[in-house]
Amino acid sequence: MLRLENIKIYTDLTDDEVVKEACKQYKLDSKDVRKYNIYKKSIDARNKENIFYNYTIDIEYVGLKNIKNIKIVNEENFNLIIDKKRKAETRPVIVGAGPAGLFCGLILVQNGIRPIIIEQGKKVEDRKKDVENFLETGILNTTSNVQFGEGGAGTFSDGKLTTNSKNPLCRKILKEFVSFGAPNQIMYTNKPHIGTDNLINIISNMRNYITSQGGTFLFEEKVVDFEIECNKIKSVLTNKNKKIETDTVILAIGHSARDTIEKLYFKGINMEKKSFSVGVRIEHKQEMINNSQYGNKTKLKLPPAEYKLAYHGKDRSCYTFCMCPGGVVIGSSSNNSEIVTNGMSKFARDEENANSALLVDVTPEDFEGDSPLEGIYFQADLERKAFELGGNNYYAPIQRVEDFLNNRKTTRNWKNKTHI
Ligand SMILES: Cc1cc2nc3c(=O)[nH]c(=O)nc-3n(C[C@H](O)[C@H](O)[C@H](O)COP(=O)(O)OP(=O)(O)OC[C@H]3O[C@@H](n4cnc5c(N)ncnc54)[C@H](O)[C@@H]3O)c2cc1C
């Protein structure tokens, strides 16, 4: 494949038209393109008077003339081979069916290994009902909610596939998502995004595939203990009094399963304190972000704009994260009497508001006590205080930015659910 880079496109074109334009820019004959693959597409909005798309396209080209100075790349191989020399008598157990657990399960079955995946929450279709019920009634199911259940914590978020990693396996993740029903554009857009509406089907397709290849899912079943002998895992025990013997356990439990993390700590698993970030969701009109990022001159049909802001102070940094264009803020608690919020959007990202997390970093010096679990206690304490401030009913406490800047309270009119 020939890689055509830095293709500047100033109007909205179909993919075929973009390839023709790319060939023109590289002085190639588009009739000689046997197949193509859009590798990258980004928006360059640095000059608001002249916003354009920047494409990288791989083409299979039959006319081999005039290809000087064009990079040649191999077609990507998305297989991940596991060395199976180890002789296993038992099936590996994966605890948790979030992205980590599901992809682990997928790669194992692709290598002929049949894992047992144990998830405390429900199948994604049933979990969706519990989430909707919580958002409508405030009745929380502590094992089936925005954080727990098949698909994990990202399912009811923006479905943005965020990572700072340059690992080539990131492209495998995208490819697998596409094969289970995600829009193909996630393969090449700068900030790929699936949307909660698509994720539900994709996760269910993924489960069906893993099951068809010999994997087993146990839903609504929680791993509550681990039998360890001479530093080796022997079995896991579930809350349904099941003992599953295994010599391999993959803990894909995410960062919110505080009880399981505590259990592992008291079992003697090595842990250490680490820094993390805490903060609030900030919400504003999407139109304001579009104007600020794109101006008002462009005729391009651009997606809802995003932003990222950072401030590096002397002692602490403050930054935005997980910006959710055209989305809503939703309650994402998994524990009783604690508030967690998150941004969620559908694939279209067509809601009126945008939101993002506004965070500060906290370090072990901010926590009292010596236990490696102090960070979790610190987090839980903040979430409990937010619950109380919101009125003890899973409504998040809200403050207008204007009030925050003027150091005054925002008063709330509960009856109309408006803020005055
Ligand atoms: C509120 C929130 C919003 C987020 N929004 C985004 C976003 O928009 N984009 C993004 O890229 N990332 C987002 N993230 C981060 C992203 O969701 C996580 O990085 C990702 O879900 C981590 O995947 P995981 O599989 O490691 O863990 P998780 O997704 O947390 O999955 C762990 C699973 O393990 C299960 N489990 C835990 N303990 C047990 C047990 N003992 N027995 C059985 N099952 C158990 C849980 O029920 C859960 O389903 C968000 C995270 C949170 C908490």
Side-chain angles (χ1 to χ4, degrees), residues 94-102 118-121 127 143 145-163 218 221-224 226 251-261 281 321-324 332 340-343:
I94 301 172
V95 188
L102 286 172
I118 308 176
E119 168 57 56
Q120 63 178 339
R127 178 185 175 202
T143 53
N145 48 55
V146 172
Q147 295 192 47
F148 296 157
E150 189 187 24
T155 311
F156 297 92
S157 60
D158 187 44
K160 74 173 76 59
L161 303 164
T162 310
T163 176
L218 304 178
E221 189 144 357
K222 182 170 179 162
V223 171
V224 288
F226 304 84
L251 290 167
I253 58 174
H255 68 28
S256 309
R258 293 175 183 155
D259 47 359
T260 311
I261 294 170
R281 281 264 151 193
F321 172 74
C322 190
M323 197 250 160
C324 182
S332 312
V340 179
T341 56
N342 186 29

Side-chain angles (χ1 to χ4, degrees), residues 108-371:
L108 288 178
V109 295
Q110 284 174 343
N111 281 273
I113 301 167
R114 299 183 313 116
I116 300 170
I117 304 175
I118 308 176
E119 168 57 56
Q120 63 178 339
K122 297 183 185 172
K123 277 185 187 171
V124 72
E125 301 88 343
D126 300 331
R127 178 185 175 202
K128 185 169 174 259
K129 292 179 202 150
D130 289 328
V131 169
E132 283 163 358
N133 185 44
F134 171 62
L135 297 178
E136 258 166 47
T137 64
I139 298 168
L140 177 69
N141 180 334
T142 52
T143 53
S144 176
N145 48 55
V146 172
Q147 295 192 47
F148 296 157
E150 189 187 24
T155 311
F156 297 92
S157 60
D158 187 44
K160 74 173 76 59
L161 303 164
T162 310
T163 176
N164 290 327
S165 165
K166 298 265 180 268
N167 191 314
L169 282 178
C170 293
R171 290 205 36 97
K172 177 174 172 67
I173 305 260
L174 299 178
K175 185 75 200 164
E176 295 295 0
F177 271 132
V178 171
S179 75
F180 290 112
N184 190 49
Q185 68 178 59
I186 65 166
M187 290 302 295
Y188 56 79
T189 40
N190 201 19
K191 292 193 178 152
H193 148 75
I194 294 185
T196 279
D197 41 345
N198 286 323
L199 267 169
I200 309 278
N201 289 334
I202 293 166
I203 300 296
S204 140
N205 291 342
M206 216 165 159
R207 175 218 316 141
N208 290 336
Y209 176 77
I210 293 172
T211 311
S212 75
Q213 299 302 302
T216 307
F217 282 85
L218 304 178
F219 288 109
E220 297 179 65
E221 189 144 357
K222 182 170 179 162
V223 171
V224 288
D225 211 347
F226 304 84
E227 197 190 0
I228 301 169
E229 257 178 47
C230 305
N231 235 4
K232 288 208 167 107
I233 187 79
K234 290 280 159 200
S235 67
V236 296
L237 302 151
T238 77
N239 59 344
K240 292 189 178 163
N241 280 332
K242 225 180 266 167
K243 177 171 168 172
I244 302 170
E245 291 189 1
T246 182
D247 65 358
T248 307
V249 170
I250 295 125
L251 290 167
I253 58 174
H255 68 28
S256 309
R258 293 175 183 155
D259 47 359
T260 311
I261 294 170
E262 228 166 14
K263 173 62 116 200
L264 288 162
Y265 177 62
F266 291 119
K267 280 268 159 193
I269 305 290
N270 246 349
M271 290 188 191
E272 48 188 70
K273 290 184 191 174
K274 72 186 269 282
S275 302
F276 57 96
S277 300
V278 295
V280 297
R281 281 264 151 193
I282 183 160
E283 193 174 34
H284 24 244
K285 294 269 181 259
Q286 179 63 46
E287 202 184 340
M288 187 176 102
I289 311 300
N290 292 347
N291 276 339
S292 156
Q293 299 290 58
Y294 299 147
N296 51 16
K297 296 253 160 58
T298 181
K299 297 268 184 295
L300 294 177
K301 291 188 195 115
L302 298 170
E306 302 180 38
Y307 66 85
K308 195 170 169 71
L309 298 170
Y311 167 77
H312 298 290
K314 201 157 66 68
D315 304 320
R316 235 184 256 282
S317 299
C318 172
Y319 63 101
T320 64
F321 172 74
C322 190
M323 197 250 160
C324 182
V328 290
V329 177
I330 60 161
S332 312
S333 303
S334 57
N335 282 325
N336 286 321
S337 308
E338 291 176 4
I339 286 272
V340 179
T341 56
N342 186 29
M344 178 175 93
S345 60
K346 295 191 177 150
F347 182 65
R349 286 179 162 169
D350 55 2
E351 298 283 341
E352 191 182 348
N353 288 338
N355 67 79
S356 68
L358 183 58
L359 305 174
V360 286
D361 52 326
V362 289
T363 64
E365 287 77 59
D366 292 305
F367 321 139
E368 285 167 14
D370 295 327
S371 161

